[in-house]
Amino acid sequence: MPSVVALDRRTLSTFFFLIVGLLVVSGIVSILSARRIFSDQEWVVHTYEVRSTVERIRERAATAESQQRAYLLRGVAEPLTAFRSAYADAKTEISRLRSLTRDNPVQRANVDELEARLDARMARAEVVIRRRDEIGLERLIAESRVAPGVALMARFEAAAVAIGEAEAALLAGRLEESRRGVWRTILSFGLSTTVGFALLFGFYSLVLRFADQQEAARKAEEALRMDLEKEAAVRELAQAAERRLLAELSRSNRELQDFAFVASHD
């Protein structure tokens, strides 16, 4: 019985440390998976931010374009100020876009191309504005100096679209990777939970068996103790009977000796 109890103790300890190890590994995997999911989500947010920045640049360029036309038509200072302010805002957004895409060489080249085309379009707009101030709107239209700006604006739009399409492709890949990360996390959590419950059930079964064996050992020890007590009581009774018999024999011997002494004197 002692060897079985010792074996069960070792088994219980083994299962306990297996469960602890599983919990540690599961915790590490969960932390790594959560960090991967958060990283994927950050890249998704980053892609959306790049796309929204590109849209703001296009909006600022379109605002500058419309304000330049308004100045050409009206010849007042307010549209000219708005034109230059929109251009400055577009340059600020391009700087932000360059910072967002600094980790992507392809997009950095696209941003450089976008800025170059925006600068070319705005430079052409300034030339047209100065020419309008010099010769007036009618002669400017007659010289067809407005039409080239449309082509420059189209090139700018093409560069913006190229950046947007590249980011759309990146977004699709990052969303797919994010979904895979979620599924990996679910699967790893499900697997670790299943194994954990299996180990816990095994541990519970061993604890019950260990408790049953301990109870059986306790009952066996109790029965053995009772048997030993009974044997001790029987032995004590036998010893008492032996003592009484010895005492009776001793008394009989004394009586015989006394009788023999009396008989010899008579």
Side-chain angles (χ1 to χ4, degrees):
M1 182 66 66
S3 62
V4 175
V5 174
L7 176 62
D8 279 345
R9 288 183 184 277
R10 289 196 296 270
T11 306
L12 287 174
S13 299
T14 301
F15 265 81
F16 174 76
F17 286 112
L18 279 176
I19 294 172
V20 172
L22 177 66
L23 291 175
V24 172
V25 172
S26 178
I28 293 174
V29 171
S30 298
I31 291 173
L32 294 177
S33 298
R35 290 182 61 184
R36 181 64 181 271
I37 291 174
F38 289 148
S39 176
D40 292 339
Q41 290 300 318
E42 286 176 357
W43 278 113
V44 170
V45 172
H46 174 271
T47 303
Y48 278 119
E49 190 173 359
V50 170
R51 297 181 71 182
S52 64
T53 303
V54 172
E55 290 303 315
R56 286 196 299 271
I57 293 171
R58 296 176 69 182
E59 290 174 3
R60 301 298 187 274
T63 299
E65 182 84 2
S66 63
Q67 292 300 321
Q68 184 229 11
R69 291 174 182 172
Y71 176 75
L72 294 179
L73 293 173
R74 296 164 56 193
V76 295
E78 183 179 351
L80 182 59
T81 302
F83 157 76
R84 288 170 178 163
S85 176
Y87 174 50
D89 291 342
K91 293 286 286 185
T92 300
E93 293 295 338
I94 286 178
S95 297
R96 176 177 174 76
L97 181 62
R98 180 174 284 105
S99 176
L100 290 172
T101 58
R102 62 182 178 273
D103 61 320
N104 190 330
V106 175
Q107 288 293 66
R108 285 205 308 268
N110 289 335
V111 172
D112 292 339
E113 180 69 16
L114 179 70
E115 185 174 26
R117 293 185 177 184
L118 176 66
D119 290 341
R121 175 64 189 98
M122 295 301 110
R124 178 63 185 174
E126 289 285 357
V127 170
V128 173
I129 288 171
R130 287 195 299 271
R131 189 62 177 166
R132 193 261 185 217
D133 293 339
E134 293 173 358
I135 64 175
L137 180 59
E138 291 78 6
R139 290 183 59 186
L140 181 66
I141 295 175
E143 290 181 356
S144 300
R145 292 184 176 272
V146 179
V150 176
L152 290 173
M153 194 64 181
R155 295 190 187 98
F156 166 77
E157 285 291 333
V161 169
I163 294 176
E165 289 176 349
E167 287 299 321
L170 289 173
L171 178 62
R174 287 165 180 171
L175 287 173
E176 179 63 25
E177 183 61 28
S178 179
R179 284 191 291 269
R180 290 177 181 174
V182 171
W183 278 112
R184 283 195 298 267
T185 301
I186 292 173
L187 290 175
S188 63
F189 178 77
L191 179 61
S192 61
T193 301
T194 302
V195 176
F197 275 114
L199 288 176
L200 284 174
F201 179 76
F203 183 76
Y204 176 71
S205 300
L206 286 177
V207 168
L208 290 180
R209 191 177 71 178
F210 180 75
D212 291 341
Q213 290 182 354
Q214 289 291 93
E215 181 65 17
R218 187 189 65 78
K219 290 181 179 180
E221 290 176 358
E222 182 68 18
L224 179 62
R225 185 183 63 79
M226 293 179 65
D227 291 341
L228 291 175
E229 288 179 354
K230 288 179 181 180
E231 290 180 3
V234 170
R235 190 181 301 111
E236 193 171 324
L237 290 174
Q239 290 174 354
E242 184 180 358
R243 285 193 297 271
R244 286 195 301 271
L245 179 60
L246 290 175
E248 184 66 22
L249 289 174
S250 177
R251 185 181 61 79
S252 298
N253 287 333
R254 284 197 303 272
E255 289 178 354
L256 287 173
Q257 289 175 358
D258 292 341
F259 177 76
F261 179 78
V262 172
S264 64
H265 283 79
D266 290 340

